[in-house]
Amino acid sequence: MGFAGKAAVAAIASVLLAFGAAAVATPAQPLRIANVTVVDVKTGALLPHRDVDIREGRIAAVLPAASTAAGHARIVQGRGKYLIPGLWDCHVHLSWTTDSALPLLVALGVTDVRDVGSSFSQIEAWRARIAAGDQVGPRIMRVGPILNGKEFNQYQFVPGSAEAARGAVRLLKWLGVDEIKVHRRIPREWYFAVLDEAKKQGLKVVGHIPVDVAPAEASESGQYMIEHTETLFEGTFAAGLSDLQLPGAIRAWLATNQPEALFATFVRNGTWVDPTLSGYLEVADLYDPRTPPDPRYRFVAQSERKLFRDQLSAHPFSAEQVRALHEHMNLLVDVTRRMHQAGVRLVTGTDAAGARLVGFSLQAELVDLVRAGLTPLQSLQAATLNPAIAFGRAADLGSVEPGKLADLVLLDANPVAHIENTQKIAAVVAAGRLYDRPAIKRLMMLSEQLAAKN
């Protein structure tokens, strides 16, 4: 290792040592967030002057302020601040973001993620280190490897036949995955075999809608969650259309009664949707040379940034392609608005991977959902309560109540008034560990250091 490499390692080590030395409470250390306003995400009610006691990684009590002694708990002053549950990003690919994303997610209030396609062994290793307190990061649901009809990357698996697809589901069940994910190129026969076998194994199927399956058919057949609003317009809808023609076709579709019929089917079948608006809107900006530089990309792994720059240099978009891409992605906001108006249940996800932002994109998704017609409370529910319900974790997560796991975000302003206030973070509690402002700053420094070397 050369001098520069040793210097980088030393810098990262110094950050780790400094981080471990201050501003972090172990799960065994009791905490009290004193005189805070608790946001009831179920109703939108604001509960002022509450003491929230945390012991052994869980919320022990939510009581009127100063009604009991704090004992040996560390006191976090909550006066003038708002406490919400930790945020979920329900669609990430952590092997593509690299481990630089793990501390950044926590620093930005994202305490729970669902990884929908990464290296299974890598995700398991990170989960173990995070659970042991040896690595800072969110709780990770693991979904994958992705079942597809063609391998487009190393995190996709091609079973080879419908019967082999059933075997893949059984193997993934044995490995302990939380859900089964399918992608758009999985053949129709394999897809229905996956749905049937997953049902037998007690697993839910999520993902893209296959190219030769209609969206209503996927819902009627039992696909539990649809990833990306975009997938409604892949496959059967887009057959015979060019990328330049697709926006006009979506606009014409929105002018018919077909959206209402489709979304009524989703509601009837309990089909969840993870729109991932921010990820798609970000892609349009990344391909647009007029987009000004964003300093937050220093938190993205440098290898992924370089790969994207090389790909864009080799295959630049024309001005017409960029215009159509922006139009297409903005139409997805309108489609999501129609889903919401129809009562389709939504969760927040970003498709964070590669050269795209992580953590910041979840905050952008909250804003984009409000742009799509959700109230700030409904957007906040999509990032807290809804994922807990969708993934069967409502007994542990999703609200600030006694008995729940202590994944919390302390805000300087009311998120129910303005959803952008979720970005005004005073402190984060992840798995009972406190990260105050100095600790959050150190987490971001660590993320930036890791991104520079990854």
Side-chain angles (χ1 to χ4, degrees), residues 400-418:
V400 183
E401 296 179 279
K404 299 290 181 81
L405 292 167
D407 288 355
L408 305 164
V409 186
L410 186 63
L411 302 173
D412 287 324
N414 178 10
V416 178
H418 299 285

Side-chain angles (χ1 to χ4, degrees), residues 317-383:
F317 272 38
S318 68
E320 187 178 19
Q321 286 175 310
V322 169
R323 180 199 58 75
L325 185 60
H326 277 295
E327 183 182 9
H328 183 184
M329 298 315 172
N330 280 288
L331 277 169
L332 300 182
V333 178
D334 294 333
V335 176
T336 303
R337 177 180 294 107
R338 297 284 284 275
M339 279 195 284
H340 168 64
Q341 291 171 346
V344 176
R345 297 183 296 178
L346 307 177
V347 298
T348 49
T350 67
D351 202 14
R356 279 170 281 180
L357 293 168
V358 63
F360 298 105
S361 56
L362 190 278
Q363 298 283 359
E365 184 74 3
L366 291 167
V367 175
D368 291 331
L369 287 178
V370 170
R371 178 183 162 199
L374 279 70
T375 66
L377 174 62
Q378 290 167 336
S379 179
L380 187 60
Q381 288 170 335

Side-chain angles (χ1 to χ4, degrees), residues 74-153:
R74 175 176 177 177
I75 304 296
V76 180
Q77 292 299 333
R79 183 184 297 273
K81 302 186 188 304
Y82 297 79
L83 192 66
I84 63 170
L87 303 171
W88 280 78
D89 189 332
C90 299
H91 196 117
V92 299
H93 298 274
L94 293 176
S95 288
W96 270 330
T97 64
T98 77
D99 61 353
S100 64
L102 299 176
L104 181 64
L105 284 161
V106 172
L108 296 174
V110 182
T111 58
D112 294 85
V113 299
R114 182 177 61 139
D115 189 286
V116 287
S118 285
S119 163
F120 188 82
S121 59
Q122 187 176 56
I123 294 299
E124 287 298 279
W126 285 341
R127 277 165 51 95
R129 288 179 55 80
I130 291 167
D134 297 329
Q135 184 162 350
V136 178
R139 301 179 197 274
I140 306 172
M141 279 184 66
R142 67 277 202 229
V143 183
I146 304 164
L147 301 183
N148 206 2
K150 182 178 178 181
E151 286 186 6
F152 290 92
N153 58 64

